[in-house]
Amino acid sequence: MNIHSTQSHLFASLTAYLQDLQESGVDGIPVELMYAAEPVATPQPVQAKEQEPAEPVNEQQPTTKKVETLEQIRKDLGPCQRCKLGATRKNLVFGVGNPHARLVFVGEGPGADEDAQGEPFVGDAGKMLNRIIAAMELKREDVYICNVVKCRPPQNRPPESDEVETCVPFLLRQIASVKPEVIVALGTSAAQALLQTKVPISKLRSKFHDFHGIPLMPTYHPSYLLRTGGNSDSFWGVWDDMTQVLQLLKLPVPVKARKK
Ligand code: URA
């Protein structure tokens, strides 16, 4: 199955899932994915997003929306064996961070360290991502971090289209639950899976794309920066991308000078 037929299947299954939710009384998820039309007027801490009440104040009011919690989504995944990655993983890697973060990072899939610890981005790529987050003057616990697939692909190969198709609906539900103001897609797999495209990351990055009303910034994967080095063009390209993210969030942009 190629990536485009995978994506049509993915959206067909997501549509069916949303219809099921609607029939069972949940009417808020697609709307909740919409980015707030009004920009934030004043700088806000990245973790301090206003929350809607999880439960309706008055069950009779038709405008009340129920949003799944991350715990509910994790419970639904259970000891997942929906795709072939389930057979070889040690730990399912769901996601980590602030469940109401204004900023979500999406990577490709767990590596060996993440598989061993059950947490995304804890190995060498994770250290590089932590550097990026710290350079933004944010903390790892302020943001939410997850992956396109939740189980380690053998030999760290990119996830295959059937694996992405099976797992991405859960990622979309996580995003709908967190309701971030901005998403950063780390690397080719994340950017292509979320934006349903085959365009290379080098052409996608450096500008915002629309993801169901949420601005999405594709950027290079931290593993790529490990290969190119901490003062490379790609490293500074990522910093330019993160500068745009901070500006959109109306957060201070730290001044960083490139070494000559
Ligand atoms: N690379 C990813 O894309 N995700 C992780 O969690 C770790 C490495």
Side-chain angles (χ1 to χ4, degrees):
M1 193 180 290
N2 69 31
I3 189 87
H4 286 300
S5 64
T6 293
Q7 286 154 354
S8 349
H9 279 86
L10 173 64
F11 276 82
S13 65
L14 182 63
T15 303
Y17 164 72
L18 291 172
Q19 278 164 351
D20 280 353
L21 280 184
Q22 195 172 35
E23 278 157 23
S24 61
V26 177
D27 62 353
I29 285 178
V31 176
E32 291 307 320
L33 273 171
M34 297 302 288
Y35 176 58
E38 294 298 321
V40 180
T42 51
Q44 296 184 357
V46 78
Q47 73 278 20
K49 182 157 58 73
E50 260 188 37
Q51 286 310 296
E52 288 167 19
E55 292 302 322
V57 176
N58 174 351
E59 304 247 349
Q60 302 303 316
Q61 287 176 0
T63 52
T64 309
K65 300 174 187 78
K66 291 182 211 156
V67 176
E68 286 184 298
T69 64
L70 292 171
E71 290 75 21
Q72 286 167 333
I73 301 163
R74 177 65 190 89
K75 199 167 161 204
D76 188 20
L77 268 164
C80 187
Q81 293 292 334
R82 291 171 180 80
C83 84
K84 56 189 180 299
L85 296 180
T88 51
R89 66 142 195 268
K90 289 197 185 84
N91 285 297
L92 186 151
V93 179
F94 182 68
V96 73
N98 185 333
H100 309 301
R102 298 176 66 203
L103 175 59
V104 166
F105 289 92
V106 181
E108 175 179 281
D113 295 307
E114 291 76 19
D115 185 42
Q117 296 181 43
E119 182 172 328
F121 283 100
V122 290
D124 289 341
K127 289 188 188 113
M128 177 59 83
L129 178 60
N130 290 345
R131 271 183 65 187
I132 295 166
I133 293 170
M136 297 169 82
E137 295 184 351
L138 301 175
K139 296 196 191 74
R140 197 172 150 101
E141 56 270 28
D142 293 337
V143 301
Y144 189 74
I145 305 171
C146 52
N147 281 306
V148 168
V149 293
K150 293 179 171 30
C151 299
R152 183 190 181 198
Q155 282 82 48
N156 296 338
R157 63 158 170 76
E160 291 173 357
S161 54
D162 57 315
E163 297 156 359
V164 172
E165 179 190 346
T166 307
C167 215
V168 162
F170 291 94
L171 171 62
L172 299 186
R173 287 165 64 183
Q174 286 170 283
I175 293 171
S177 178
V178 176
K179 293 182 282 175
E181 292 169 46
V182 182
I183 298 169
V184 173
L186 298 165
T188 304
S189 292
Q192 292 188 347
L194 291 172
L195 296 174
Q196 299 186 76
T197 181
K198 284 182 156 175
V199 175
I201 187 70
S202 55
K203 295 226 158 45
L204 292 170
R205 62 158 287 270
S206 86
K207 54 185 174 292
F208 286 106
H209 300 253
D210 177 73
F211 179 76
H212 298 266
I214 303 174
L216 182 148
M217 174 63 78
T219 198
Y220 293 121
H221 194 282
S223 303
Y224 180 63
L225 300 186
L226 289 174
R227 296 195 291 274
T228 61
N231 197 36
S232 59
D233 287 349
S234 35
F235 183 89
W236 287 98
V238 169
W239 180 244
D240 286 345
D241 299 342
M242 295 308 102
T243 296
Q244 291 191 56
V245 167
L246 289 169
Q247 284 166 342
L248 194 72
L249 289 168
K250 304 234 183 290
L251 290 170
V253 178
V255 177
K256 307 278 172 196
R258 185 170 184 172
K259 288 186 210 125
K260 298 285 171 208

